Amino acid sequence: MGDRRRLYNLQSSRGDGHLVQSVSDDYDDEDLLLSGARRQPPSFNYIKVCVVAFSVVVVFFSGFFSHSLLISFGKPSSEHKIDNIGSVIDPSKIKEYHIELTKSTHLAGSQRNYELAQYIANQFHDFAFDNVELKNYSIRLPFPDEKKPNAVKLFDSSGEVQHTCRNIEVPLNDFEKNNPTTPLFNAHSKPGSVRAPYVYVNFAEIEDFKLLKENNITVKDKVVLARYGQTFRGNKVKNAADAGALAIVLFKDLLDPDRADRFPLSEFAPSSAGERGTIGTWDGDTDTPGWPSVQKSFLKADGPKLSAPIISQPITGDDAVVLLNALAKRDDFDFPENWQPGLLKNKTFGIGTGAEDGPQLEVTVNVDVRRVNITNVVGTITGYLEPDRWVILGNHRDAWTYGAIDPSSGTAAVIETARALGHFLNKGWRPRRTIKIASWDAEEWGLIGSLEWVEEKRALLKHRGVVYINTDIAEGGNCMSVDATGSPLYENITGTVLNTVNSGDFPKMELSGSGSDMYGFYCYAGVSVVNVNCASYSDVYHSLYDERNLFDIVDKDYKNLAKVSSSLAQLVVGVSEPAVIPGRVVEYGNRIQEWWDVLKPKVLQAFTRLKIDEELIHIMDDTLFELGEAANNFKSEVIDKLNSDSTLLEIRRANDKMMQFDRAFLVDEEIPGTMFYSKNILVSPSESNLYTGSGFPGLLQAVSTPTSTKKDVLLQLERIRWALNAATAVLKS
C-alpha cells in the first residue's frame, strides 16, 4: 500500500522464524496487514475476548461524543503544547541541508535525486516521525540525447553557417567547471530538425502574433525567436504553433538591463545564461491519466510520448544577440516599446522579413525517451485525536541543474520545519491532527510526482485532507518578504502568520496556478491549498548559475530562508493544533462575489451577442447572495457558538463543513479552457497562462471565445450555479 503508517511498532514471530511487523493502513482497506501470515479460524476464547472488548468500546464511546471535555487517547499534557515554533528554526541547519541538496545536478529519475530522497527520509527518521515512506512510480520521461546533442545554427543567404549556438552556458567558477550539468533543452519538445527563415516575436503571446499579422508579417512555415517572460513557456510554444510556425527558439532576456553587476557578483543573470524547462501544456503522467503509475498498473502501450506540437529549443542571451543582430530592420513596422529586448537596450535590432533569401535558422532537437523510477518521500506524524485528518506540507526535490533556488531553497526550509516539529515531538508534544510532510519528484516535468500521489490517494484526500501547504522557490534573490497564494479559506491565518514574519500588511491572497505541486490537491482532489514562497525573483532560475554560490550573495546567513521555514511551521501547527480549524467561509464567499463582479460585464456582453435573457444574471446574483447568507449564518450560529463545552461531534461537524466547502466545486466533466486535472469549476489555471489561476475558468472561456454558442455559455453558467448551491448546502446541512 502507498501509505502504510506504523501506528504500533509491534513484531510477532512467524512460523518460519522471521519477524512480522504489524502495520496499520491508516484505516484504508484493511484494519491490519500481516505480511506472510495466514488467517486462522477464530477460537471460542478469541471470540469471548472480542465481545468483551467490543462492550468496553461501546460503553466508552456512548459518553465520548457527549462529554464536555475533549477526551482522547494519549493526549499530550498541557506543558507539551507549542507556544512559538518559529523560535527553534535554525538558519545554520537550513544551510547544512541546502549545501547537501545542491552538491550536484539532480534530475528527476536520476541516481542523485534518489540519494537525496534517502537523505530526506533519514532526516525524517532522525526527527522521530512515526512513519517515513519512499514511494516509487514508473514514468517515461524525454531526456536530451547525449549522443546527438540539440543544436541551433544560423545560416546566411548563401547557405553558409555563420554561428552555432551553445547548448550549455559558460561556467563562471570552479564549481560549475567541475560539476557538469544538464544541457539546455525544453522537456516535451517535438523531436526533429527544421531549417527556415526566422522572425522575432517578442514574448510569443497571442497579442504579439496578432500585432505581426496586422503588419503583414507572417510566421507561417518559419522559425520564431522569442524571449522568456510574461507567460508560461509552454503557452509560447502553443501560440507559435497556432500561428503556423515550424519551431521556436527561446532566450533568457536581461532583468534590469542597466545593471552592470551580474552573477557571480549579484543575483541577476548574466547574458551567458539560458533557461531549461518543460513546455508541456499538460500535467501528470500522460501514460496513466487519472490513475497512478504504480508497479501493477495496466500501463498504456509504450507508444510515442506526448510532445509539444512543434520543435522548441532554448539558447543563451549571448547567442540571442547574434541572432537578433542578423535580422533585417523593418522601417514599416513601428513596434511598441515593450518589444525592445533588454539584451539590446537603446540599440536598434531587427524583427526579420521572413524572406526565403534572408538569414535562416536550423533547429535540431533529439530526444531520448526512457522509463525511470521517480520517488516521493512522505513522512507522517500521527495526530493524537484526529489521525484521519491530514495537514500536508510539500515541496519538490528534482531540479534541472543544481537547484539552489528552484527547488532546494524550499526543500531546505521544509526539512527545517520538519526538524522543528521533531524537536517538540521529542519533548512529548503531538499534534491533534496528522501531519504529513512530502518531498515530491518530477515536478519540473509537469508536477508528476505529486499528481501520482494525489491520484493514488484521491478518495482519501477528499475525506481527510484539511489543507495542503506548498513551497517551491523559498528564496528567489534577496527575499525581503514572504508571500502566499491559494484558497481564500485560509487567507486569514496565512495573513496573520506572514504579517508576523514580514512585519507588514499581507494583501489579499491571489489564486494559485499550476506552476507547482499545489495544483493536483485543489484542482483534482478539492483540498484547500496555501502556496508559500519568497516574494522576490532571480533570473538565474533554471540556468547553470542556479547553484550554491548564489546564496553567498542573496542569503549568506540563511535568515531569509529561516523566515520561510518559520512561516511554514506556524501554518502547519496553526491548522493541525486548534480544535476548530482556522477556515473562514465568510471571507471565501466574499471573494467568490468579487470574482463574479469582475466577470459579470463579459457575461453581459456575451448575453447581448447571443440574445440570452439577462434574468439569468439575476438568478446568479441570488445564488451568490444565498451562499453569502449561508456563510454568515454558519459563522454566527455554528463557529461563534463553539466553546469549551462543545462536544467532539459538534466540533467535528463544523470542521467537516469547512473542509468540504472547497470540495463542493469539484465536477466530473471537462472544464473548457483548462487541463485534464482541472476539476474545480470555481478556480483553475488559465489555459492562456498556466502559471496563473482564474475564477470561473469555464465560463470565462465560454464568454471570451467568439465562436461560443448560447448552449456553451448557459452550460457553464448552470454548472457554476449548481456548484454554488452545493457549497451552500454543505454549510446548511
Side-chain angles (χ1 to χ4, degrees):
M1 296 292 293
D3 190 40
R4 298 284 174 185
R5 185 173 66 217
R6 293 173 177 79
L7 293 181
Y8 310 102
N9 199 19
L10 305 175
Q11 292 185 325
S12 61
S13 179
R14 200 169 63 183
D16 57 6
H18 290 85
L19 292 179
V20 178
Q21 189 172 48
S22 299
V23 184
S24 170
D25 188 12
D26 195 10
Y27 320 114
D28 283 5
D29 301 316
E30 309 94 11
D31 294 328
L32 192 64
L33 176 70
L34 295 176
S35 301
R38 178 177 296 178
R39 290 183 179 271
Q40 299 294 330
S43 66
F44 181 72
N45 288 335
Y46 174 80
I47 294 173
K48 286 195 296 183
V49 170
C50 289
V51 170
V52 172
F54 179 77
S55 301
V56 172
V57 170
V58 169
V59 170
F60 179 82
F61 276 96
S62 64
F64 182 72
F65 285 117
S66 61
H67 202 288
S68 61
L69 299 177
L70 299 182
I71 304 171
S72 65
F73 297 103
K75 179 179 177 180
S77 56
S78 59
E79 62 266 25
H80 293 144
K81 290 183 178 179
I82 294 181
D83 292 324
N84 182 13
I85 193 169
S87 64
V88 301
I89 299 296
D90 185 350
S92 68
K93 298 298 294 182
I94 299 177
K95 181 176 182 179
E96 175 188 323
Y97 308 139
H98 192 251
I99 289 173
E100 179 63 32
L101 293 165
T102 56
K103 282 182 176 178
S104 60
T105 297
H106 43 286
L107 279 173
S110 67
Q111 177 61 29
R112 177 56 181 166
N113 207 37
Y114 180 70
E115 291 170 358
L116 290 179
Q118 294 175 310
Y119 169 76
I120 293 169
N122 289 336
Q123 298 298 319
F124 290 171
H125 278 298
D126 291 345
F127 301 154
F129 277 40
D130 298 316
N131 182 53
V132 180
E133 179 189 28
L134 284 84
K135 183 59 186 279
N136 292 328
Y137 301 92
S138 177
I139 306 292
R140 289 194 303 155
L141 295 178
F143 295 92
D145 192 325
E146 296 179 1
K147 297 179 180 179
K148 295 181 288 184
N150 297 349
V152 176
K153 296 180 180 180
L154 171 65
F155 289 80
D156 63 17
S157 57
S158 63
E160 296 294 322
V161 176
Q162 294 298 302
H163 182 73
T164 299
C165 298
R166 298 181 61 92
N167 69 352
I168 196 166
E169 300 95 329
V170 176
L172 300 178
N173 56 39
D174 289 340
F175 174 83
E176 295 161 9
K177 292 175 184 176
N178 297 329
N179 292 275
T181 193
T182 320
L184 289 165
F185 81 110
N186 285 141
H188 301 301
S189 170
K190 179 182 179 180
S193 183
V194 298
R195 179 174 161 184
Y198 66 106
V199 178
Y200 170 61
V201 296
N202 197 23
F203 290 112
E205 294 187 285
I206 294 173
E207 294 76 12
D208 296 324
F209 288 104
K210 182 179 178 182
L211 181 62
L212 289 170
K213 186 176 181 180
E214 290 172 351
N215 285 271
N216 298 315
I217 301 173
T218 181
V219 300
K220 182 174 173 53
D221 297 329
K222 306 291 190 298
V223 175
V224 296
L225 177 63
R227 51 182 175 156
Y228 282 116
Q230 300 296 111
T231 190
F232 171 56
R233 69 185 76 83
N235 292 112
K236 298 174 185 289
V237 178
K238 181 180 183 301
N239 295 340
D242 290 345
L246 298 174
I248 183 169
V249 175
L250 296 164
F251 68 90
K252 184 185 285 288
D253 202 8
L254 296 181
L255 284 181
D256 194 357
D258 291 327
R259 291 187 69 109
D261 58 328
R262 298 190 168 274
F263 184 82
L265 301 177
S266 78
E267 71 271 25
F268 288 85
S271 58
S272 55
E275 181 179 316
R276 299 145 186 82
T278 182
I279 56 171
T281 52
W282 58 87
D283 283 323
D285 176 27
T286 56
D287 287 338
T288 58
W291 70 93
S293 184
V294 294
Q295 186 177 3
K296 294 182 180 179
S297 287
F298 298 117
L299 296 174
K300 288 187 175 180
D302 288 349
K305 187 69 180 175
L306 182 64
S307 64
I310 60 174
I311 295 169
S312 178
Q313 175 64 19
I315 60 174
T316 69
D318 287 337
D319 288 319
V321 169
V322 176
L323 303 189
L324 287 165
N325 285 332
L327 287 171
K329 314 297 186 294
R330 292 190 63 121
D331 296 331
D332 59 338
F333 178 45
D334 187 18
F335 58 84
E337 187 176 333
N338 67 355
W339 276 58
Q340 179 78 41
L343 288 159
L344 293 173
K345 186 176 181 182
N346 300 324
K347 297 180 181 178
T348 58
F349 64 97
I351 289 179
T353 63
E356 293 297 328
D357 59 352
Q360 296 188 353
L361 286 183
E362 182 182 83
V363 187
T364 302
V365 169
N366 296 299
V367 176
D368 177 18
V369 177
R370 302 199 304 269
R371 184 170 292 281
V372 298
N373 281 332
I374 64 170
T375 305
N376 292 334
V377 184
V378 181
T380 300
I381 301 172
T382 306
Y384 73 84
L385 184 59
E386 298 184 74
D388 60 338
R389 292 295 179 261
W390 298 351
V391 175
I392 309 166
L393 169 64
N395 158 260
H396 78 92
R397 184 181 67 258
D398 63 303
W400 292 119
T401 59
Y402 316 107
I405 286 177
D406 184 10
S408 298
S409 62
T411 308
V414 167
I415 297 174
E416 177 59 7
T417 297
R419 189 197 65 81
L421 294 169
H423 169 83
F424 288 99
L425 278 173
N426 286 322
K427 290 181 176 292
W429 168 82
R430 184 161 289 276
R432 178 189 178 100
R433 301 179 184 91
T434 290
I435 295 171
K436 290 181 178 290
I437 300 186
S439 172
W440 311 117
D441 204 347
E443 184 268 0
E444 295 291 4
W445 303 77
L447 318 181
I448 296 176
S450 59
L451 276 169
E452 291 298 295
W453 195 80
V454 169
E455 286 174 328
E456 188 172 9
K457 306 292 183 186
R458 190 185 186 205
L460 289 173
L461 286 168
K462 285 184 176 181
H463 290 284
R464 303 180 183 183
V466 179
V467 67
Y468 172 70
I469 301 165
N470 187 71
T471 191
D472 195 332
I473 301 177
E475 169 59 89
N478 284 318
C479 181
M480 302 309 295
S481 63
V482 184
D483 198 6
T485 60
S487 170
L489 189 70
Y490 289 105
E491 183 176 86
N492 185 270
I493 185 175
T494 303
T496 300
V497 169
L498 297 193
N499 284 339
T500 301
V501 172
N502 293 332
S503 300
D505 292 332
F506 174 68
K508 284 184 178 180
M509 201 153 66
E510 298 298 326
L511 301 176
S512 294
S514 72
S516 196
D517 291 298
M518 61 280 174
Y519 168 66
F521 287 88
Y522 80 94
C523 276
Y524 195 57
V527 177
S528 304
V529 300
V530 178
N531 183 40
V532 178
N533 284 309
C534 173
S536 61
Y537 171 80
S538 171
D539 56 344
V540 302
Y541 164 87
H542 289 193
S543 78
L544 175 72
Y545 312 123
D546 186 6
E547 46 104 339
R548 226 291 302 171
N549 289 301
L550 179 67
F551 270 68
D552 290 337
I553 302 166
V554 300
D555 195 9
K556 188 172 184 178
D557 298 324
Y558 285 77
K559 291 181 178 179
N560 292 341
L561 271 189
K563 290 198 300 184
V564 175
S565 186
S566 177
S567 301
L568 297 173
Q570 291 180 62
L571 283 170
V572 168
V573 172
V575 181
S576 64
E577 276 283 77
V580 181
I581 61 175
R584 297 290 188 272
V585 294
V586 172
E587 288 81 351
Y588 201 156
N590 291 339
R591 293 297 296 280
I592 296 172
Q593 182 67 58
E594 291 174 11
W595 300 334
W596 171 244
D597 290 341
V598 169
L599 185 57
K600 192 189 296 186
K602 285 189 176 182
V603 176
L604 284 169
Q605 290 175 4
F607 273 32
T608 301
R609 175 172 60 86
L610 297 170
K611 297 181 173 57
I612 300 174
D613 188 351
E614 291 187 9
E615 177 62 25
L616 299 181
I617 295 290
H618 301 309
I619 294 175
M620 277 294 294
D621 289 336
D622 291 342
T623 302
L624 281 162
F625 177 81
E626 290 172 7
L627 176 63
E629 190 175 56
N632 282 299
N633 288 339
F634 174 72
K635 179 181 182 301
S636 61
E637 299 301 319
V638 178
I639 297 298
D640 291 348
K641 291 183 178 180
L642 293 174
N643 53 47
S644 60
D645 292 326
S646 299
T647 66
L648 276 174
L649 183 58
E650 289 170 335
I651 293 171
R652 179 81 162 198
R653 288 180 64 191
N655 287 339
D656 283 356
K657 289 175 185 289
M658 287 187 280
M659 284 174 52
Q660 294 301 320
F661 192 71
D662 260 320
R663 316 292 204 263
F665 304 116
L666 290 184
V667 296
D668 294 327
E669 303 86 357
E670 178 183 351
I671 301 174
T674 64
M675 299 183 297
F676 174 82
Y677 292 97
S678 295
K679 303 299 183 183
N680 190 318
I681 200 166
L682 183 66
V683 181
S684 286
S686 165
E687 186 181 50
S688 60
N689 185 0
L690 298 179
Y691 278 153
T692 62
S694 170
F696 305 114
L699 182 59
L700 175 61
Q701 176 80 4
V703 299
S704 301
T705 304
T707 56
S708 289
T709 65
K710 179 178 181 179
K711 181 180 178 181
D712 294 332
V713 173
L714 292 180
L715 176 62
Q716 296 309 312
L717 204 62
E718 186 74 344
R719 291 169 73 187
I720 291 170
R721 184 166 74 98
W722 283 107
L724 294 172
N725 284 336
T728 300
V730 164
L731 297 179
K732 285 183 173 181
S733 63

